[in-house]
């Protein structure tokens, strides 16, 4: 494209007074604008390609289709891939959500990576729902914290959304229990998350919440 523009420059240098038909065509296509806009167009294409590459890479990390076995994985990579997949929801124009990351130094842990990533997806998606439903003036915020304690890693996901009543907290991990409208939720997401963490990985998952002030999910996973 730059070569074409260079040739046009040569034509304009050697033929500064083009035929009237050519002058009309230049005005009709707004050549001056096209010359400046094409660079923006290429940059937009590059940005879009980079975004697609990032999403595909994140989907691969999230699904771990080639890693169905128990393997040592980087928990932070799983979190980041999940956040990338949820990017559009986190940056929704009507309710942009601030994500604060307080990552500690974690060793690789042995787990079913795809299953653990599914737990992250379920919890983060629910947190986004809670933040989008809140009617307060607070900046919608989600905080993710990770740390190592003894032979375990502890991960917490907190939000300042609508929170839950005590009765809801007591049933949050029950199969088919949901606070969403009919047709919007199956009531299986958190039950599956609980099964994955406790039965498949020998860890724990708990929820603390206060109505109107937000919720915190805490996950403990053994390193080995």
């Amino acid at each position: 494209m730059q070569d074409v523009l260079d040739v046009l420059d040569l034509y304009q240098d050697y033929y500064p007074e083009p035929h009237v038909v050519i002058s009309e065509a230049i005005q009709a296509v707004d050549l001056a604008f096209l010359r400046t806009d094409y660079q923006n167009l290429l940059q937009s294409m590059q940005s879009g390609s980079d975004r697609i590459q990032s999403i595909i890479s994140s989907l691969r990390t999230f699904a771990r289709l080639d890693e169905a076995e128990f393997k040592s994985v980087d928990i932070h990579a799983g979190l980041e891939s999940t956040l990338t997949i949820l990017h559009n929801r986190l940056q929704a124009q009507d309710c942009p959500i601030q994500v604060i990351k307080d990552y500690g130094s974690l060793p690789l842990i042995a787990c079913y990576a795809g299953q653990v990533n599914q737990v992250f997806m379920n919890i983060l998606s629910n947190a986004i729902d809670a933040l989008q439903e809140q009617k307060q003036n607070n900046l919608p915020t989600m905080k993710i914290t990770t740390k190592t304690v003894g032979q375990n890693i502890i991960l917490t996901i907190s939000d300042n959304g609508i929170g839950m009543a005590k009765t809801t907290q007591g049933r949050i991990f029950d199969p088919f229990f949901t606070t969403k409208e009919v047709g919007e939720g199956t009531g299986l997401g958190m039950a599956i998350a609980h099964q994955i963490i406790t039965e498949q990985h020998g860890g724990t998952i708990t929820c603390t919440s206060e109505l109107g002030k937000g919720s915190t999910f805490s996950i403990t996973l053994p390193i080995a």
Side-chain angles (χ1 to χ4, degrees):
M1 187 62 190
Q2 189 59 53
D3 290 341
V4 172
L5 293 179
D6 290 342
V7 172
L8 286 176
D9 286 338
L10 288 174
Y11 267 102
Q12 290 179 332
D13 288 342
Y14 286 94
Y15 300 97
E17 299 296 334
H19 190 278
V20 63
V21 175
I22 296 176
S23 295
E24 291 175 352
I26 289 174
Q27 291 181 357
V29 301
D30 197 352
L31 183 61
F33 170 76
L34 291 179
R35 294 185 62 156
T36 57
D37 187 59
Y38 97 93
Q39 186 66 39
N40 294 332
L41 173 65
L42 294 180
Q43 288 176 352
S44 295
M45 293 170 65
Q46 179 67 56
S47 176
S49 299
D50 291 343
R51 176 73 178 138
I52 291 170
Q53 182 186 41
S54 175
I55 291 173
I56 291 174
S57 176
S58 295
L59 284 170
R60 182 176 176 82
T61 301
F62 175 80
R64 298 282 186 172
L65 296 178
D66 57 344
E67 298 181 15
E69 299 299 324
F70 226 62
K71 291 188 66 174
S72 294
V73 299
D74 181 355
I75 287 296
H76 290 153
L79 281 168
E80 289 300 312
S81 69
T82 309
L83 290 171
T84 298
I85 294 169
L86 293 170
H87 175 81
N88 285 351
R89 294 196 63 199
L90 290 168
Q91 300 303 317
Q93 292 185 355
D94 59 337
C95 183
I97 297 170
Q98 179 184 26
V99 178
I100 300 173
K101 304 172 187 175
D102 183 11
Y103 291 170
S105 178
L106 299 184
L108 298 179
I109 73 164
C111 67
Y112 294 106
Q115 292 185 8
V116 172
N117 289 344
Q118 185 62 55
V119 173
F120 298 158
M121 176 65 78
N122 292 347
I123 295 175
L124 291 171
S125 294
N126 285 346
I128 292 173
D129 290 340
L131 289 167
Q132 291 176 338
E133 290 179 26
Q134 65 142 336
K135 306 299 182 182
Q136 306 170 26
N137 294 323
N138 296 335
L139 174 67
T141 303
M142 182 188 303
K143 183 175 182 180
I144 305 173
T145 303
T146 62
K147 61 182 178 180
T148 303
V149 178
Q151 295 302 309
N152 300 293
I153 67 162
I154 298 177
L155 180 148
T156 59
I157 299 174
S158 303
D159 67 71
N160 62 347
I162 58 175
M164 291 179 280
K166 292 293 184 181
T167 53
T168 301
Q169 291 181 57
R171 301 188 60 194
I172 194 67
F173 298 115
D174 291 352
F176 304 110
F177 175 76
T178 179
T179 58
K180 298 178 181 177
E181 298 293 331
V182 176
E184 292 186 6
T186 63
L188 291 174
M190 296 314 303
I192 291 173
H194 186 272
Q195 181 184 44
I196 288 173
I197 296 300
T198 60
E199 297 182 20
Q200 300 294 327
H201 293 87
T204 62
I205 178 171
T206 59
C207 172
T208 57
S209 182
E210 186 174 348
L211 200 59
K213 293 190 176 181
S215 304
T216 297
F217 282 86
S218 180
I219 297 172
T220 301
L221 286 170
I223 294 172

